[in-house]
Amino acid sequence: MKRFTLLSIVPLVLLAFSAYGYPQGKGHGKWLWWKDAAVVQDLKLNDKQKTEIAEIFTTYRQKLDEMRPGVHEKGKAFTEAMGNPDSTREQIMKSYDDMWDTKYKMRRTMLEMKLDMRAVLTPDQITKLNQIKEQHKQEMMQKHKTQ
């Protein structure tokens, strides 16, 4: 029973991580705030800042797109190892470690992108953006509660 429960939970966890892990349009987990006209206006982003942020995103998006298949493959390999009765404990642990190492590298790359974008902003814009993001998060949580 314990094995069945674990085998049914692992794919759901992997799916949740893969769905959340990449910036998408507004309302899909994360949103491209620098393309949102209201946010741009609230932050008073100048043209140079908008251009720099867009270039940073483009650069990192390419890196993240290259990493994504590896994350998927490692997750699939782990799920297969867990489901294979012939897999040893060591094989499963190695597969698990490989999966999380790959996910860590992708998450770290995402953090680097955010930090590079943050460096383009003034301290006041950083503060305001954090407020906007928190408000957006609350709105999305409320929206999903009512669905």
Side-chain angles (χ1 to χ4, degrees):
M1 182 68 180
K2 193 184 242 187
R3 184 181 210 170
F4 175 75
T5 303
L6 186 58
L7 288 174
S8 61
I9 291 174
V10 169
L12 292 175
V13 171
L14 293 174
L15 178 64
F17 276 108
S18 65
Y20 183 76
Y22 190 68
Q24 300 172 9
K26 190 172 183 179
H28 295 93
K30 296 188 180 197
W31 103 102
L32 307 175
W33 58 266
W34 59 94
K35 291 187 176 188
D36 186 315
V39 174
V40 168
Q41 184 177 356
D42 285 350
L43 293 178
K44 298 178 178 73
L45 290 179
N46 62 42
D47 289 339
K48 183 180 179 201
Q49 288 175 310
K50 289 188 275 189
T51 300
E52 286 182 45
I53 290 169
E55 288 172 357
I56 290 166
F57 175 73
T58 301
T59 300
Y60 279 96
R61 181 175 188 165
Q62 184 177 4
K63 290 178 186 177
L64 292 166
D65 285 346
E66 291 169 3
M67 297 173 96
R68 184 164 290 101
V71 171
H72 178 72
E73 289 168 14
K74 299 291 183 175
K76 186 177 176 184
F78 170 68
T79 302
E80 289 173 2
M82 284 295 295
N84 182 351
D86 296 327
S87 294
T88 66
R89 177 183 180 90
E90 290 75 25
Q91 290 170 327
I92 293 169
M93 292 301 289
K94 171 133 179 42
S95 179
Y96 179 82
D97 290 342
D98 289 346
M99 175 188 70
W100 280 105
D101 287 346
T102 306
K103 285 180 185 267
Y104 167 78
K105 288 174 185 169
M106 187 168 182
R107 299 292 293 198
R108 182 168 174 114
T109 301
M110 291 172 69
L111 175 60
E112 289 173 1
M113 177 181 73
K114 290 176 185 179
L115 292 173
D116 287 353
M117 289 177 170
R118 184 178 188 264
V120 172
L121 304 174
T122 66
D124 289 340
Q125 288 172 323
I126 293 169
T127 301
K128 180 68 176 170
L129 179 59
N130 286 333
Q131 293 169 351
I132 292 168
K133 283 183 174 183
E134 184 58 34
Q135 179 182 357
H136 175 74
K137 178 180 171 184
Q138 295 302 321
E139 289 171 1
M140 289 300 103
M141 288 173 59
Q142 191 62 34
K143 179 181 175 182
H144 292 290
K145 277 184 183 178
T146 59
Q147 290 182 349

